[in-house]
Amino acid sequence: MPQIIPIRDLKNTNVISQRCHDSQEPIYITKNGYGDMVIMSMETYERQCALADVFAKLGAAEAQIQAGQGRPLAELLDETRNAYGI
């Protein structure tokens, strides 16, 4: 469940920092009742960036497959398993 707090609560930065790390989710900040900012821990930010990168790569791979330029998934999985000894 998303955490939503008013901007005035940002005065106690230690508490906000702890909430960011404990929840491992973004915290939404409101100003005058409207969304204004989002804050999160560095770990959460890095995880979000990594997920965005994976989704971008999946989108590019899907486009290649649609264009007939991709390789079969089974072939890619076998290659990955062999590379990592799985």
Side-chain angles (χ1 to χ4, degrees):
M1 178 142 193
Q3 294 187 51
I4 303 169
I5 61 172
I7 199 165
R8 70 177 176 271
D9 287 359
L10 291 179
K11 292 176 184 176
N12 194 342
T13 57
N14 288 330
V15 171
I16 299 298
S17 175
Q18 190 62 46
R19 286 176 72 173
C20 284
H21 289 282
D22 290 345
S23 71
Q24 296 182 352
E25 295 290 331
I27 296 177
Y28 299 88
I29 310 299
T30 60
K31 183 176 181 180
N32 298 323
Y34 296 96
D36 186 51
M37 297 184 288
V38 177
I39 59 173
M40 63 184 82
S41 68
M42 288 298 295
E43 294 84 8
T44 300
Y45 175 75
E46 290 169 356
R47 186 178 70 238
Q48 295 289 339
C49 288
L51 283 172
D53 185 48
V54 167
F55 289 136
K57 288 178 180 178
L58 285 171
E62 183 67 27
Q64 286 179 346
I65 290 170
Q66 295 297 323
Q69 300 169 349
R71 295 182 354 203
L73 179 60
E75 181 182 317
L76 292 172
L77 288 174
D78 287 341
E79 187 176 299
T80 302
R81 287 184 185 113
N82 291 335
Y84 291 99
I86 299 173

